[in-house]
Amino acid sequence: MIHLKNEKMNFKNRSVGDIVAENYEAAGVFRQYGIDFCCGGGQLLSVICEKKGVNAEDIQEDLEKVYGSETGSGENYSDWSPSFLIDYIENTHHTFVRKKTEEITSYAAKVARVHGETHPENKDIYWHFTELAGELIDHLESEENTVFPLIKSLESDLKEGRKPDPKKAEELRMELDQMEEEHETAGRVMEKIGELSNRFTPPAGACATYRILYQNLEGFEKDLHKHVHLENNILFKKAEALLG
């Protein structure tokens, strides 16, 4: 791993999205402090710390430890081409969402039915997740059928020396704005589910299904954060660069 120094190590004056794009291990630090690095990735760390009342020096120190460590995710997503990154997102995160929404909905329905009277928050969790699942599936289809093909087409045009089609470029700009809005909505829903579940902590004596539901919800949120980060902070920025 390359050890970054000087201005790049002054994390307070950099956006959280760029920090995580450079080293995904930084996501764990931001998650620990409750900092949104995916939908809120464009904000400077110093600004976020001031808003949240978090000590920026503490985060700076923790990030320096991450950057000084030899461990890492093993992948530098920022170096990937848009097309390669798209294939990775579809094969990894889109597949995960389609599989897990169905599985988690089933668990949530059972927990809401069995424990909804004594723990009514589980009825709300079921309702919120069901709504989220439907919206996410529609979102994935929009990306796969419209957004991603547009990005790949523009990338191909540039590689072959053709100027981007103005109509394609304008359509992509509109689609990217829409996708980011939908990402923010999904993030807010998962945040609400996190609050309702006491940050995915089941009550003492909870049955196996109850525990499995909360474990799956927590894993789903972590995957969603990475999924949105890869799109908002890396892929969509690459797409904007293609547009010039």
Side-chain angles (χ1 to χ4, degrees), residues 97-238:
V97 169
R98 287 192 169 99
K99 176 184 177 183
K100 282 297 181 179
T101 48
E102 183 175 349
E103 183 180 330
I104 293 173
T105 298
S106 176
Y107 288 137
K110 182 175 180 180
V111 172
R113 183 177 67 251
V114 176
H115 302 283
E117 294 305 316
T118 53
H119 296 282
E121 66 274 8
N122 288 296
K123 293 182 180 180
D124 291 334
I125 289 172
Y126 170 69
W127 184 85
H128 282 298
F129 191 83
T130 301
E131 290 291 305
L132 174 63
E135 291 171 0
L136 279 177
I137 296 303
D138 289 344
H139 178 84
L140 301 189
E141 291 176 356
S142 293
E143 289 185 334
E144 293 170 2
N145 296 329
T146 304
V147 182
F148 292 170
L150 278 171
I151 295 174
K152 286 186 173 184
S153 177
L154 286 168
E155 183 183 18
S156 177
D157 286 345
L158 288 173
K159 281 182 178 178
E160 296 177 14
R162 296 189 297 269
K163 291 184 178 180
D165 183 322
K167 290 184 178 179
K168 265 194 238 179
E170 182 58 29
E171 182 182 4
L172 180 56
R173 286 190 179 95
M174 294 175 62
E175 290 289 346
L176 292 179
D177 288 342
Q178 180 64 31
M179 293 302 100
E180 289 187 355
E181 286 181 15
E182 292 178 7
H183 287 164
E184 289 182 10
T185 299
R188 286 194 296 269
V189 174
M190 278 309 305
E191 185 176 355
K192 180 63 178 177
I193 291 173
E195 293 172 359
L196 288 167
S197 63
N198 188 26
R199 294 308 306 163
F200 314 112
T201 305
C207 69
T209 303
Y210 207 135
R211 295 195 305 272
I212 291 171
L213 168 63
Y214 279 31
Q215 288 169 1
N216 274 271
L217 286 170
E218 184 175 21
F220 191 87
E221 183 186 62
K222 287 181 179 179
D223 183 84
L224 185 65
H225 284 172
K226 185 172 185 179
H227 181 175
V228 171
H229 161 70
L230 290 176
E231 292 185 356
N232 280 12
N233 299 325
I234 302 180
L235 177 62
F236 292 173
K237 285 188 176 181
K238 288 180 179 289

Side-chain angles (χ1 to χ4, degrees), residues 29 50 73 80 86 108 150 153:
V29 174
E50 185 174 351
S73 65
W80 292 359
I86 284 170
L150 278 171
S153 177

